[in-house]
Amino acid sequence: MARLDDIRARIADVDEVVRDAAAARQRELTKPPGSLGRLEDLGNRLAAIAGTCPPPVVTRPVVALFAADHGVCAQGVTPWPQEITVQMAANIAAGGAAISVLARQFGADVLVTDVGIATSATLDGVVDRCVRRGTADLSVEPAMTPQEAEQSILVGYETASKAIDAGADCVVTGEMGIGNTTASAAVIAALSGHGASEVVGRGAGADDAMLAHKTAVVQRALDLHAEHLGDPLGVLQHVGGLELGAIAGAVLAAAEHRVPVIIDGVIASASALIAVGIAPAARGYLVGGHAGVEPGIAAAHRQLGLDPLVDLDLRLGEGSGAILAVPLVQAAARILGEMSTFAEAGVG
């Protein structure tokens, strides 16, 4: 915990004075006040994150993608075999997955990190930072040890910090892990106060019977570990996942370095709840990427005070929804920096 305490101490609140200055500038730009809607709010948020108005335009986004496996797959909560995790991690690194294509479209690098894949294999283009070979079954025992939970966070923190130090100016969260919507639903339920039935979704294709079973498994896990779910690290350890911890660490790194972090779907939303639980000031650095179809996303976003930028009925994961929000983040900053004021344009 000492290392996490140090990280928390270095994360400052976003600059509300600069946010107010950005809002004032929005009123001076050559448009009716509020006419660019949520794009204006996003620009103001970016200014508060950077501590300067206008904010810098994102030019080097990076997708920090973490892959891990889940012991709860033994309960039959997904129609997909666990072997898909290692296969898709390799596919993403080779440039053949949806996130790979979208990242190329928007000029983003994709960093693929093995933080807990069950299969022991050397994969080209995948960084090996494996904490353990998949979690334990959260419905019958803690998913991991306290030390492993903290280590998963540090893997994400160190990965994102290194990327930012190398020039990345926006972190896009991504993940790969069969069974991770089950763990994410449990985390969101524990940290938002919702019941399992309110946050469990179909994931990557559960039918009605599997959805009911998955909901029961999540509720059983919440009941089993109830006395240990009072803090974010306890939640991560008992019902979380290694990639969830890593994404939480990436959020903390982005907040410490004062760069925006665009969170993807239900897995990243659960991770963001963990990160904000550890360091409440990190909340101000979050940008909601997409709404998605998983009910847990909306529950987490309400808790985090986020309004997602994209709503395309996505349910893939990988960071696909978050990367699609990058052009909106770029546009919001460019509006504040390049649009003329009434005085400059001689209008009015």
Side-chain angles (χ1 to χ4, degrees):
M1 269 298 292
R3 181 83 183 275
L4 292 183
D5 288 339
D6 291 341
I7 293 169
R8 180 192 300 112
R10 293 194 296 267
I11 297 175
D13 289 322
V14 296
D15 195 324
E16 295 299 335
V17 173
V18 173
R19 191 197 301 270
D20 290 343
R25 178 169 173 79
Q26 297 278 12
R27 293 190 291 272
E28 297 172 357
L29 299 178
T30 47
K31 57 179 174 59
S35 58
L36 283 177
R38 290 170 53 206
L39 205 61
E40 296 184 20
D41 295 333
L42 178 58
N44 300 345
R45 175 179 286 258
L46 295 172
I49 287 171
T52 182
C53 179
V57 177
V58 168
T59 59
R60 291 188 60 183
V62 63
V63 180
L65 189 149
F66 302 96
D69 278 308
H70 294 262
V72 73
C73 284
Q75 298 296 325
V77 293
T78 172
W80 296 93
Q82 195 167 58
E83 292 75 20
I84 293 292
T85 299
V86 66
Q87 294 168 1
M88 279 303 301
N91 185 38
I92 293 166
I99 186 58
S100 314
V101 175
L102 292 171
R104 286 195 293 273
Q105 171 67 25
F106 300 122
D109 292 329
V110 181
L111 305 178
V112 185
T113 301
D114 171 8
V115 72
I117 298 175
T119 304
S120 178
T122 300
L123 304 175
D124 289 341
V126 178
V127 177
D128 183 4
R129 294 295 306 277
C130 189
V131 174
R132 62 177 284 168
R133 293 294 173 194
T135 56
D137 183 349
L138 59 82
S139 70
V140 298
E141 61 182 309
M144 64 191 90
T145 69
Q147 294 76 20
E148 289 165 345
E150 182 173 358
Q151 186 58 36
S152 72
I153 294 172
L154 294 178
V155 168
Y157 171 82
E158 291 161 4
T159 299
S161 293
K162 183 178 179 180
I164 295 167
D165 289 342
D169 53 8
C170 176
V171 175
V172 176
T173 63
E175 44 66 35
M176 182 63 226
I178 299 301
N180 60 11
T181 60
T182 300
S184 298
V187 168
I188 291 171
L191 292 176
S192 70
H194 287 78
S197 62
E198 299 174 283
V199 297
V200 175
R202 296 182 185 274
D207 59 18
D208 288 348
M210 185 173 286
L211 176 62
H213 173 63
K214 182 178 175 181
T215 301
V217 169
V218 170
Q219 189 59 58
R220 185 163 72 243
L222 294 171
D223 294 341
L224 175 66
H225 302 295
E227 64 182 293
H228 304 288
L229 304 181
D231 66 89
L233 279 176
V235 170
L236 175 61
Q237 179 208 339
H238 286 83
V239 299
L242 295 156
E243 78 274 49
L244 274 71
I247 294 172
V251 169
L252 296 176
E256 181 183 333
H257 290 81
R258 300 192 73 92
V259 301
V261 53
I262 308 177
I263 63 170
D264 194 47
V266 68
I267 290 87
S269 297
S271 303
L273 286 174
I274 294 168
V276 170
I278 293 169
R283 182 191 307 267
Y285 298 86
L286 301 173
V287 175
H290 78 108
V293 299
E294 287 287 302
I297 299 175
H301 282 188
R302 285 192 296 271
Q303 187 86 356
L304 294 165
L306 295 178
D307 197 1
L309 296 175
V310 176
D311 188 356
L312 297 174
D313 291 337
L314 303 177
R315 57 183 181 88
L316 175 63
E318 300 179 7
S320 54
I323 194 70
L324 285 167
V326 166
L328 295 175
V329 170
Q330 294 168 322
R334 200 172 288 277
I335 285 290
L336 264 177
E338 298 180 17
M339 192 172 178
S340 298
T341 65
F342 285 103
E344 290 165 345
V347 174

